[in-house]
Amino acid sequence: MKRMLLAAGLAALMAGTSGIALAQTAGGGVLTVATIGEPPSLDVMQTPTDIVLTITQHIFETLYIYDAEWQPQPLLAADMPEISEDGLTYRIPLREGVTFHDGSAFDSADVVASLNRWMEINSKGRQVAEVIETIEADGDNAVVVTLNSRYSPLLATFSQGSPILPSETLGGELTDFIGTGPYRLQERRPDQYTQLVRFEDYVSPEGEPSNYAGRREAIADEIRFVPVPDANTRVEGLIAGQYDYADSLPVSAYERVEAAGNVEPVIFENAGWTSLNMNMAEGPLTDKALRQAVQVALNPSDMMLAAFSDERFFAVDGALFPEGFFWHTQAGVERYGEGDPEAAAALMEEAGYDGTPIRILTSRQYGFHYSTGEVAKAYLEAAGFAVDLQVVDWATLTTRRADKGQWDIFITHSNFPGDPTTLNTITDTYPGWYTSEAKSQAVAAFMNAVTNEERFTAWEGIQSVIYEDAPLVKVGNFNALGGLASGVSGYEPAYWPRFWNVAPRG
């Protein structure tokens, strides 16, 4: 969800995160933020959804956090870890002088207790627990993580949904939402608002702000997150002056927001990507040549234009990570272009396609999914496929896609994660059931990589294998629309909108 700038010398800027506390600047005022709905919980370990992360990132902090290239940088950690030669031991130094909202000091005991809870109750944490042998304190200001096998994404997993809380609060269900962040929880009234207020004793990391990394300053006295499930109500409330920021607006509202005079549209680039995921377990698309025929038959430009109408809101790019991400590469990108029915027909003949209809699942609840499906159907039929486009509600689609016998392609969208191993298609059990020896070897090479150079090379191998095996068709990247009140300063578009370093209207 973003075209980030590559920041030369970023590592040097971030190296001082263990150092001097930056004093909070009293700016005053309130920021009122209209969100897409009520968070089901503020326990982000238990419920790491976008709405929960958006709110709780102001309260809780993690050991590491993503910079502009979506690479982990120190947050509560004082520096990058010391890694043993065999890649199995990580010694993580911790920042000193940091306090929790209840006044208690942050130390290694809090890290150990928090990460142990995360590994018990969080789905990603449980996955990581399989490779973590121990997490132990090394004095008050360091922890040592020992692995039973190399695990390249370790720091990325410590950068999202794994907040550090006071060890004293972690017995049983979380009832006290106490963190080290620039804002603390003041009051939560379900379906009305979640009120955060400035934490006066906040100790910021150093370094220039870079996405979620770097200096954090609580300028506003208060941030009030208001659930507004109806998108049009968010638009009208923004224009009426009720909200300083409104999240996830329909792209059709762009001109209305732009013309209002007292607000401005905010486009967040590369908010996500759409894909057609193919069934590799049952049905005609178990044949690789036929999956490749689907790839070469489709026209991404026409599908994205039909889905988003306006070129300001999409980009056509076959790379699985967009430009500006550390992981962006064109390595292995094949059969991605303007649609070639003749080449598709040749692959279909090679596969011995017998005219069996290709069942495509899509939903009108995501309008861009439905529009993508309509165009895909036309291009596949032009290549010679028989197509059965099945339009169902999203709940039905997610139920059907779990049944290997009920579909051949389903249409969905995803965000761009900070680490390639969290892409759905990397997971063997994700609907589509993509497994191959080449994929296993490529993923193993990535897991065993230690340096960023090794990891990037391994990722190029994974992307190349994905294009060769053709478990999916990457359609394109799409942008998201938000709205900001005039006079609010310092806001930078982000996947999870963040409001430190942001000043309210005067």
Side-chain angles (χ1 to χ4, degrees):
M1 303 190 174
K2 23 250 141 203
R3 274 195 209 288
M4 304 298 186
L5 296 178
L6 300 178
L10 183 59
L13 288 172
M14 295 307 305
T17 51
S18 61
I20 302 168
L22 299 180
Q24 294 281 56
T25 298
V30 178
L31 287 167
T32 303
V33 179
T35 66
I36 62 170
E38 175 67 18
S41 167
L42 294 182
D43 186 350
V44 69
M45 287 190 196
Q46 186 76 58
T47 314
T49 60
D50 286 346
I51 182 61
V52 176
L53 282 160
T54 294
I55 295 172
T56 61
Q57 66 181 332
H58 299 82
I59 304 171
F60 304 125
E61 294 180 316
T62 49
L63 287 176
Y64 295 92
I65 200 65
Y66 293 123
D67 68 14
E69 291 186 88
W70 287 80
Q71 286 294 285
Q73 297 293 343
L75 182 53
L76 285 175
D79 206 340
M80 301 305 283
E82 302 167 17
I83 304 175
S84 63
E85 189 173 341
D86 63 7
L88 298 179
T89 303
Y90 288 63
R91 184 183 185 276
I92 301 174
L94 306 177
R95 290 171 53 211
E96 300 180 36
V98 174
T99 59
F100 288 101
H101 299 156
D102 64 358
S104 62
F106 160 74
D107 62 21
S108 57
D110 304 307
V111 176
V112 172
S114 297
L115 293 181
N116 280 330
R117 179 179 188 265
W118 172 71
M119 290 190 295
E120 290 175 4
I121 70 170
N122 181 275
S123 57
K124 187 65 176 177
R126 287 193 293 268
Q127 179 181 333
V128 176
E130 296 178 4
V131 299
I132 290 182
E133 212 46 67
T134 58
I135 301 177
E136 298 176 317
D138 182 9
D140 289 339
N141 301 311
V143 295
V144 176
V145 181
T146 304
L147 310 179
N148 56 40
S149 61
R150 285 188 176 187
Y151 191 73
S152 177
L154 184 66
L155 298 191
T157 64
F158 287 165
S159 299
Q160 178 185 325
S162 55
I164 308 304
L165 291 73
S167 56
E168 297 80 7
T169 67
L170 294 178
E173 182 178 353
L174 189 64
T175 56
D176 296 317
F177 301 98
I178 297 168
T180 58
Y183 288 89
R184 60 179 178 82
L185 177 65
Q186 178 73 13
E187 183 180 21
R188 183 185 177 202
R189 294 193 177 184
D191 298 316
Q192 296 184 52
Y193 60 79
T194 300
Q195 180 192 23
L196 310 185
V197 297
R198 181 195 293 121
F199 176 39
E200 299 294 349
D201 295 324
Y202 178 63
V203 182
S204 172
E206 296 176 349
E208 289 301 308
S210 175
N211 199 13
Y212 299 97
R215 187 182 67 254
R216 298 179 169 196
E217 189 177 353
I219 298 175
D221 289 332
E222 174 187 331
I223 307 171
R224 188 169 292 219
F225 294 94
V226 180
V228 186
D230 182 75
N232 290 324
T233 303
R234 292 197 295 278
V235 172
E236 298 306 322
L238 176 73
I239 292 172
Q242 291 177 260
Y243 313 124
D244 296 288
Y245 180 81
D247 196 21
S248 297
L249 303 183
V251 296
S252 58
Y254 182 91
E255 281 76 16
R256 174 155 168 70
V257 173
E258 185 178 44
N262 63 329
V263 296
E264 60 187 68
V266 176
I267 293 178
F268 178 52
E269 294 185 342
N270 299 315
W273 58 292
T274 53
S275 61
L276 283 73
N277 297 261
M278 293 187 262
N279 188 341
M280 294 180 59
E282 290 187 19
L285 297 182
T286 56
D287 189 296
K288 182 166 76 172
L290 212 54
R291 296 195 302 273
Q292 291 180 346
V294 171
Q295 283 182 321
V296 79
L298 295 174
N299 184 312
S301 296
D302 283 355
M303 286 190 287
M304 293 301 287
L305 188 61
F308 295 98
S309 304
D310 188 327
E311 291 185 354
R312 288 174 296 190
F313 293 102
F314 70 87
V316 175
D317 180 6
L320 296 181
F321 283 87
E323 291 182 36
F325 276 65
F326 176 82
W327 304 109
H328 175 73
T329 175
Q330 294 293 330
V333 174
E334 293 184 71
R335 295 174 298 280
Y336 184 87
E338 297 308 305
D340 187 339
E342 292 182 2
L347 285 163
M348 292 162 67
E349 184 176 357
E350 175 188 332
Y353 177 60
D354 62 3
T356 300
I358 304 298
R359 297 161 297 174
I360 302 178
L361 292 179
T362 192
S363 172
R364 288 185 186 272
Q365 283 174 272
Y366 292 103
F368 62 100
H369 289 192
Y370 173 71
S371 299
T372 298
E374 283 194 311
V375 177
K377 178 177 186 291
Y379 272 93
L380 291 173
E381 288 177 338
F385 283 102
V387 179
D388 176 13
L389 183 66
Q390 300 180 8
V391 184
V392 297
D393 62 80
W394 184 247
T396 300
L397 187 149
T398 57
T399 300
R400 283 193 192 173
R401 75 182 184 184
D403 185 337
K404 298 174 183 178
Q406 290 203 40
W407 61 278
D408 301 300
I409 294 174
F410 77 88
I411 298 172
T412 190
H413 70 277
S414 309
N415 70 328
F416 294 103
D419 190 89
T421 58
T422 57
L423 287 168
N424 287 330
T425 197
I426 298 295
T427 305
D428 294 351
T429 56
Y430 185 72
W433 303 280
Y434 169 35
T435 60
S436 75
E437 183 60 30
K439 172 191 165 185
S440 296
Q441 292 177 359
V443 172
F446 186 91
M447 291 298 189
N448 282 309
V450 174
T451 68
N452 273 349
E453 292 76 14
E454 292 171 342
R455 298 172 79 224
F456 185 79
T457 298
W459 163 242
E460 289 187 310
I462 293 175
Q463 180 169 284
S464 298
V465 167
I466 288 173
Y467 263 91
E468 173 61 23
D469 286 344
L472 55 75
V473 174
K474 161 81 182 285
V475 183
N477 308 335
F478 60 84
N479 303 334
L481 178 66
L484 188 71
S486 300
V488 175
S489 61
Y491 179 77
E492 296 288 340
Y495 181 70
W496 300 290
R498 57 184 186 274
F499 297 96
W500 56 82
N501 302 341
V502 177
R505 290 174 282 184

